[in-house]
Structure formats: C-alpha cells, structure tokens
Amino acid sequence: MPATHTSFEGDSAAAASAARVRVLLPLPLAGAYDYTVPQGMNVAAGDFVSVPLGARRVAGVVWGQATDEVDAKKVKPIAARLAAPPMSEELRQLIDWVANYTLSPPGAVLRMAMSVPDALDASRSLVGYGIGLPGREALADAAAKLSAPRRRVLVEASQAPGTAADLARRAACSDGVVKGLARVGLLEPVELPRRAPLEPPDWRLPGPALSSAQGIAATELIAKLGQGFSTTFLDGVTGSGKTEVYFAAIAKALEQGKQVLVLLPEIALSAQWLQRFARRFGVAPAQWHSDLGHAERRETWRAVASGEARLVVGARSALFLPFHELGLIVIDEEHDQSFKQEDGVIYHARDMSVVRASLAKIPIVLVSATPSVETQVNVDEGRYGRLHLPARHGSARLPEIRLLDLRRTPPERRSFLAPPLLEAMRVTLEAGEQTMLFLNRRGYAPLTLCRQCGFRLNCPNCTAWLVEHRFHHRLQCHHCGHAESMPPLCPNCGAAGSFAACGPGVERVAEEVAQKFPQARAVVMASDTLPGPHAAAEILERVERHEIDVLIGTQVVAKGHHFPLLTLVGVVDADLGLEGGDLRAAERSFQLLHQVAGRAGRAEQPGLVLVQTFHPENPVMRALVADDRDRFLRLEADERERHGNPPFGRLAALIISGDSEAAAEDAARAFARSTPHLPGVEVFGPAPAPLQILRGRHRKRFLVKARRGVRIQHVMRDWLTRVKLPSNARVQVDIDPYSFL
Ligand code: ADP
Ligand code: ZN
C-alpha cells in the first residue's frame, strides 16, 4: 500500500503503540508539547495539526518526534490533521534558529509564520457583505436618513459585494460603518466568489537594454541562482539601476520555476515600486504587510504555501511566509532601520533573511546606495560579495550638495529657513521646478512651554514632551500615542495664552512656506497626516503630475520616489539625527541625508541640495558634501572597531520594566546581583533608560558588550535563569540592539 504521507514509525508501528510527536503551537510557551497520533492518522514533521489545549483547540505544527518523558496519561491525542501544505523543514529550522538567537519562545516565532490561523482552513469560504432589497430601498428613498459614509458603502455594495475591509476601503470609511449597516439589515452576509487565481509574473517580457556595468552585475547575480547560498551586496548610487539589475535576476529565478521574496522598508509607501514591477512583469506582485485586510492576508498566505504566488513583496514579516520553492531573496534599502522589529520577537529582518537564505541554500541580494557598516564590513572581510554600479543611469547627474552654516546665515526670527535656502526656492519656483523640504519631525512643534513659568507639556505615561499637531488640533506623545487637546491654561501656573511653541516640525515649516510663498502649492507628507497607503500614493502622484510645487516631509519622502522636476532639496535641520548619540547615529544620519539628497535632479535637470546645519565640520556633513561615502564608512568602521562595537563585538540589551519605580529598581538590583563575570564580557548598568517611563512602565537598562567570539546568547540565557523576576516586573532581551531608548 503506497503511503502518501510518511509517519515517523512506519505505518505498521504507528498502529501498534500510539506514536507520539511534539507539536509546536503559535503561543509564547516554553517549547513544543507532546501529543499522541491517533490510530489511522499519519503525520510527519511540518504537518499542520489541530490539537486540544485546555478547553481550546489550537492549530500547530508537528515539530518532531516526542521523547517519552511526559507521563502517558497526560498526553492527549491530535484532533485532526489540517489540509494545508506542510511547513518546510527550512522554515522550521528558521523558526528554531530565530528563537534561539533572539531568546524568544519558539512558539512566539511560529506565530509570525502562522499569522493568519484561518488560512489553514481550506474549506472556509470567504464571507462578505452584499446589498439586499432593504438596502436598495434605503438607497433609493430620499427620505431615508443615511450618513454620507453609509451611503457610500451601500453604493459600493450595490456595484459589487465585498468583505467588510474591502467595502470600507472602497467607500473610504471604517469597517465599523459596514458592520453597522449589517446590524440594521441594510447589508446582508453573502458568500463571496473565490478570488480569481493569481496571474504569475511574466518573466518573458523584455526589460530595458542594460548598460554594460548593469549587464555585468545582472549576469553575475544570475550566475548565483541555483548555486547554493551566497550573499551579495548590490552597490550603487540612487538612480544607477540597481532595481533594473535585480529585476533581471528575478526574471531568471522565475524562469527557473523558483519563488522570489523581496523585502522593502515601508511597503505601504512603495506605490512606485509596485507600478514598476507591474510594468516590468505584466502583473502586480503579491503583497504582504500590516495594512492588508484579513482576507487578503489569508489568501496571500495560502497562495505562497501552494506555490501559486511566485513573487511576494513585503515588509519584514514576509520573511516568515511558507515558501516551498524559494530561489532568491532581495532586501532593498538593506541599511534601513525599519527592518528591525522592536517589539514582541525582537529581530532584524535583514539578518534573519540571510539566515533563511543559508538554510534554504539560495542567494540573497542586499541592495543599497548607503550600506550599513555591518554589510560593508562583511564585504571587506570577504563574507559577502559585492557588485557595483558606478554611475547614475543616462544623463542624470548627482546633485550638488552645499552646507548652509546656520551660525553664519541664520534664518530670521521665528523662521526656520535660512535666506540662501529661501532664495533657491524662489529661483526654483520661478523656473517651474519643484522643491522638497526635509525635516524628520512630525507635527508643528516638538515642545510647548509656558512663557510665564517655563512649564513643559509632558506625556502622562512617558518621559517625553508632547508634540503639538496643529493639523489634528492635538498634543501627542510620539512614544505611546497619548493625545490630548491643548489645555486652555497652563496646568502649572494657571496663566492664560502663555504657551509658546519651540522648534519646528514639518507643519510649522509648511506655515513658513505658506507665508513666504503664498502662490506656491505646498503639501505636507508625514506618517501621521497620511490616513493610509492610498493617501501617500495620491500625494506622490500629484507631485509627479506637477500639481505640487513644494513637498514638505519627514523620512517618508526620503524613500525611492523619482520626480523629474524636483531639482531642489532643502534639509531643514541636518543635525537632528545626530542628537541621540547612539552608536549608529552618524551612520543613520548619513544614510538618511544621502537618500534625501538623492531625490534631487534625477532626470535631465541638475539638482541642488542645501543642508542647514550648525555643525558643518561634523564628519557626516563633510562626507555628504565631498560625496565620500566610502571614507565615511571606513571612519565609522574604525571607530567601532576601536571600541569593540558591532560588528567587531557583540551587544545585547536587557530592558527591565516595572509597574512602579520601586518595582523596576528591585528587579534591576536582582539582575545586578548576578551580573555575569566572564572573560570578554562587560556589563554596563543598571541605568535608567533614556525613556525612563514608557507607556506608564518604569524602565532600567543593562547593556552587555562581548568580544566577537563570545556566544552572547549563552551569557544572557544563563543570566536570566539565575534571576527570579518579581511578578510586578518584566524583562526584554534585545540582541544586537538598534534602539537605545
Ligand atoms: P536605483 O534602484 O539604483 O535607484 P533604478 O533601477 O530605479 O535605480 O533606475 C533609475 C531610473 O533609471 C529608473 O527610472 C530606471 O527605469 C531607469 N533605468 C535604469 N537603468 C536603465 C536602463 N538600462 N535602461 C533604461 N532605463 C533605465
Ligand atoms: Zn507617552
């Protein structure tokens, strides 16, 4: 009898003594649990199964054979094998690897790979809402008092039914509106037709004729496909054709029948990338990010598992999708910090992608114009290959970058744009070209204080100032999201009308632009003024159609957009990123400013970048002006090496938080008492975290620094097991920390 599915003990043995397997559940439990395999059921490692857990049923993955340690009476049988393609060995290894590396429970990592549990339920049809007779009557009845959003939803539903999320998106309202209509019977639940099968990207479509440098790079990348694991840094200035080059490698991987994963930072803002992909390959790619509706995530997860989705572009969590035929991974803007996930399982998606590539024995390409020091050092030391595109494509030239020393040419009182920048804007406007002003600070002003008593408006939950957002008429905490309206009187001295806004945010710069250039069409783009990805795409399209003269934005405008008429970039406060002073502050500033500068003059027109700074002698500013990235990276790397900082040494942070100051202190003392004393390991702290109070929790930090060869995970794990954490405190481990707040 041919077995379609192999059990661990062979078909006959399985029937005799009840076989036992370990099942990993997508929950933050210590490890996998044992279950017996009922007679007649065959399971193998990787199978998705449903098992009892207390009174619940939970879907999990068969992780391997059980040891017989657990008392047989306590072991329950698997309830069902689920009809989803089994999880590949490579993905299971990745989950264990990431759990080990980040000191997270494996189930917490598995949860990222099973983020849409009902995707396992093949039979489940997609339920949505459609319009019935009552709804149609309400629409037709002029006397029916329908709110505008409700009316829009009904109109949309009358055109085509959809899921709540889908209808809400089409009608530009919340899904609460849709559900409200369903409750009152104006919408009715309907079974939606299964979506049409995904059309595969067409690799046969011709790409552009590549320049010779591009052609060489593409050929070399293509040669790595199917040849096992390799990591390649694809290096080139903005506009040099890196995307075209990796598109060529993607086309080849698709031709070879492989799946491809592309990770982008801020996928929700990557409308131009998506359009470009669609032009090159004939169809839109499958997407994976947190702005997708549940139904879309479910379908995409299934399509990846079944192999129907050939290419996925996504944010960091796409790394854990259930590919079975992955042949190539691309990490675009590899230096971007948004690849580091800072809560839950704290991991770096770029680094863990390299791990996945090595487990899957496939090539991975890291793409950047301004690599991280880590990647540069990996290239220098021969672990990563490098392919280089030396010049911008076509006639586009790199912009000229000039520093504006704010000590010598200060802005007028209550202004933030220095006279030379204002003059350049005037010239640019008159030439019918576009300006971008960059300031990496949301809101109107970062600090509001009372002119009478000096009181500063603080967040009640965090050690942080409240940021005024005039656009929303709110004060907001950028750490916990707390929002309140501006108090009428100073809460400290009771003075009226005494508040003064200190410093600029993008909204305040927009105000200045409106005053000085009333005829210019200006728009602010920051994550909080954008209600969603569509809004971002819409603004960018308006810039492209030249309906906007001045684009004022935070780092969301720094990324990848290409505007032919944008010839002037003004950096309002280049020193901002250097303030934090953490280990990567200079690197990050350089990357961001370089990227922003790269927005200027990408077509025929030459570009000019004016950088306002109080520190023109700072190495970041000097490297920027001299366009000497490599020297800057070398200096940075030397500096890190001298201090034993990453990647020349290892860092891990331990963040302790408590309900009260005393609780945090007690817990920190407990850790301090059993601080590891090991050769090559230094422990700093406990110190109050820079954000001493975050979301109402009091915080202390330790920083562990180890020589390169030390297994820092062992040190941390050992330390954690020696401390009994009081119940009113929590501890988080951050291996390779990027944030030091
Ligand atoms: P990067 O990814 O390095 O920023 P892109 O691949 O986005 O560079 O290329 C910049 C611009 O030049 C894009 O509009 C792209 O389509 C165009 N381009 C690059 N290489 C070629 C080529 N060989 N032929 C035609 N257009 C190209
Ligand atoms: Zn707060």
Side-chain angles (χ1 to χ4, degrees):
M1 185 179 69
T4 49
H5 220 264
T6 328
S7 80
F8 291 109
E9 311 192 31
D11 294 359
S12 52
S17 74
R20 262 198 217 179
V21 292
R22 292 188 305 129
V23 175
L24 188 63
L25 303 174
L27 302 166
L29 308 165
Y33 283 8
D34 286 3
Y35 287 91
T36 55
V37 182
Q39 270 194 20
M41 187 189 288
N42 273 336
V43 294
D47 280 348
F48 287 96
V49 291
S50 165
V51 296
L53 180 75
R56 287 193 294 162
R57 279 244 194 137
V58 183
V61 179
V62 177
W63 218 245
Q65 189 139 29
T67 52
D68 277 325
E69 277 164 18
V70 184
D71 181 357
K73 286 195 283 294
K74 290 195 183 143
V75 181
K76 293 186 189 152
I78 292 175
R81 214 187 106 205
L82 302 175
M87 181 178 279
S88 68
E89 184 178 1
E90 160 226 323
L91 183 49
R92 281 179 284 130
Q93 286 174 343
L94 178 74
I95 288 167
D96 280 335
W97 207 101
V98 172
N100 239 314
Y101 189 87
T102 59
L103 268 71
S104 308
V109 183
L110 176 64
R111 187 157 57 183
M112 300 194 288
M114 291 178 63
S115 56
V116 261
D118 63 343
L120 296 168
D121 188 352
S123 63
R124 233 187 80 138
S125 57
L126 201 52
V127 185
Y129 297 98
I131 194 164
L133 196 56
R136 285 185 198 285
E137 283 175 356
L139 254 190
D141 179 2
K145 287 209 180 64
L146 284 173
S147 68
R150 282 192 161 200
R151 178 170 293 280
R152 287 202 302 274
V153 170
L154 289 179
V155 168
E156 287 297 332
S158 69
Q159 278 153 15
T163 61
D166 177 32
L167 285 172
R169 193 174 49 216
R170 279 155 49 194
C173 64
S174 74
D175 30 348
V177 178
V178 179
K179 292 187 177 141
L181 283 166
R183 261 196 308 279
V184 298
L186 294 181
L187 283 180
E188 296 168 6
V190 293
E191 200 168 295
L192 295 175
R194 303 281 306 168
R195 65 163 171 76
L198 287 178
E199 269 198 64
D202 186 355
W203 48 266
R204 289 181 192 80
L205 295 174
L210 297 180
S211 72
S212 77
Q214 292 172 344
I216 292 169
T219 308
E220 291 207 23
L221 273 189
I222 286 169
K224 293 180 193 296
L225 297 171
Q227 301 300 311
F229 169 56
S230 60
T231 310
T232 306
F233 166 42
L234 178 56
D235 185 1
V237 292
T238 315
S240 57
K242 299 186 294 300
T243 312
E244 294 300 344
V245 168
Y246 75 68
F247 273 4
I250 287 174
K252 194 65 184 182
L254 295 172
E255 180 182 350
Q256 294 173 352
K258 294 297 186 182
Q259 289 174 298
V260 177
L261 169 64
V262 180
L263 295 190
L264 299 180
E266 318 237 9
I267 173 83
L269 296 171
S270 318
Q272 281 194 339
W273 192 97
L274 297 175
Q275 284 168 9
R276 222 169 131 181
F277 182 90
R279 273 202 304 276
R280 176 71 170 76
F281 293 100
V283 295
Q287 289 184 55
W288 185 263
H289 54 84
S290 53
D291 285 327
L292 295 180
H294 180 83
E296 216 170 334
R297 285 169 73 83
R298 176 177 180 273
E299 295 302 313
T300 304
W301 194 95
R302 289 191 67 80
V304 172
S306 70
E308 191 187 328
R310 304 312 299 169
L311 180 136
V312 179
V313 57
R316 56 192 179 219
S317 58
L319 162 64
F320 294 101
L321 283 171
F323 295 96
H324 284 270
E325 302 167 305
L326 198 55
L328 174 67
I329 303 178
V330 177
I331 314 288
D332 205 345
E333 311 287 7
E334 68 86 26
H335 60 273
D336 200 285
Q337 282 233 20
S338 65
F339 287 124
K340 180 83 194 287
Q341 171 150 308
E342 296 287 359
D343 46 33
V345 178
I346 302 180
Y347 70 98
H348 199 301
R350 174 198 60 215
D351 299 348
M352 297 306 119
S353 295
V354 173
V355 173
R356 182 156 194 179
S358 85
L359 293 170
K361 303 183 181 64
I362 59 170
I364 175 167
V365 187
L366 310 181
V367 184
S368 178
T370 51
S372 58
V373 171
E374 279 78 1
T375 292
Q376 184 61 47
V377 170
N378 275 318
V379 170
D380 293 342
E381 297 185 349
R383 274 183 299 276
Y384 294 180
R386 171 174 178 256
L387 294 171
H388 186 219
L389 303 177
R392 280 192 162 186
H393 178 75
S395 59
R397 277 178 286 151
L398 285 171
E400 182 192 347
I401 301 177
R402 271 190 238 151
L403 300 180
L404 292 185
D405 185 342
L406 290 179
R407 294 167 307 187
R408 288 172 47 199
T409 53
E412 285 169 34
R413 250 176 73 76
R414 298 171 161 278
S415 307
F416 302 94
L417 306 176
L421 177 52
L422 291 170
E423 175 59 17
M425 287 178 70
R426 192 188 58 75
V427 172
T428 306
L429 274 170
E430 275 173 10
E433 293 167 7
Q434 293 166 307
T435 299
M436 185 170 103
L437 294 177
F438 171 75
L439 175 63
N440 207 9
R441 212 193 249 143
R442 292 182 281 137
Y444 183 81
L447 166 65
T448 307
L449 59 72
C450 169
R451 259 184 254 120
Q452 296 292 324
C453 71
F455 181 79
R456 299 166 171 204
L457 292 174
N458 284 304
C459 174
N461 313 317
C462 306
T463 323
W465 297 332
L466 290 174
V467 179
E468 183 187 355
H469 288 248
R470 288 217 174 152
F471 192 76
H472 293 298
H473 305 289
R474 307 292 276 172
L475 290 163
Q476 269 178 27
C477 171
H478 285 182
H479 297 284
C480 72
H482 168 86
E484 55 185 69
S485 47
M486 186 70 86
L489 306 172
C490 171
N492 189 49
C493 71
S498 67
F499 289 127
C502 298
V506 278
E507 293 175 12
R508 198 165 188 186
V509 172
E511 188 180 82
E512 184 174 344
V513 170
Q515 272 162 14
K516 301 212 164 114
F517 304 101
Q519 77 287 8
R521 298 161 300 175
V523 67
V524 172
M525 189 160 156
S527 56
D528 64 314
T529 59
L530 299 169
H534 300 284
E538 195 191 302
I539 292 186
L540 297 175
E541 276 163 25
R542 281 167 61 204
V543 178
E544 239 178 324
R545 291 195 301 262
H546 200 187
E547 293 165 17
I548 286 168
D549 302 306
V550 184
L551 176 64
I552 303 152
T554 60
Q555 60 182 8
V556 301
V557 300
K559 307 225 159 116
H561 314 298
H562 173 65
F563 305 118
L565 280 177
L566 182 70
T567 54
L568 175 65
V569 168
V571 176
V572 178
D573 182 353
D575 307 331
L576 199 55
L578 295 169
E579 277 169 8
D582 74 69
L583 127 92
R584 293 184 184 82
E587 175 191 330
R588 224 171 23 235
S589 275
F590 180 78
Q591 287 159 347
L592 190 56
L593 295 177
H594 187 278
Q595 201 164 27
V596 171
R599 300 299 128 223
R602 293 194 53 169
E604 315 310 298
Q605 325 284 341
L608 175 64
V609 182
L610 294 177
V611 179
Q612 300 195 143
T613 176
F614 282 102
H615 304 287
E617 71 296 339
N618 184 290
V620 170
M621 306 308 156
R622 290 166 65 168
L624 207 60
V625 181
D627 193 23
D628 198 349
R629 178 198 86 183
D630 291 337
R631 192 178 122 81
F632 173 75
L633 284 171
R634 235 176 358 257
L635 290 176
E636 274 295 297
D638 289 348
E639 181 85 0
R640 301 246 200 121
E641 187 161 22
R642 211 170 21 252
H643 295 104
N645 274 327
F648 302 97
R650 309 287 322 271
L651 286 182
L654 197 73
I655 304 117
I656 294 161
S657 66
D659 309 344
S660 65
E661 175 72 28
E665 251 165 30
D666 282 352
R669 259 198 301 276
F671 276 94
R673 274 194 297 273
S674 36
T675 296
H677 296 283
L678 295 165
V681 177
E682 283 177 281
V683 180
F684 304 96
L691 266 171
Q692 284 184 47
I693 309 177
L694 178 64
R695 298 184 192 92
R697 297 189 64 81
H698 297 251
R699 303 161 77 243
K700 307 277 170 198
R701 290 183 69 111
F702 288 90
L703 188 65
V704 179
K705 189 164 166 182
R707 277 207 306 262
R708 210 173 186 175
V710 174
R711 288 288 309 273
I712 205 165
Q713 283 84 359
H714 286 194
V715 177
M716 301 304 284
R717 200 170 281 127
D718 184 56
W719 192 9
L720 288 170
T721 53
R722 280 184 291 118
V723 175
K724 183 149 171 16
L725 192 68
S727 63
N728 55 2
R730 272 185 245 148
V731 62
Q732 254 188 324
V733 180
D734 185 354
I735 303 285
D736 309 331
Y738 276 65
S739 161
F740 295 84
L741 289 179

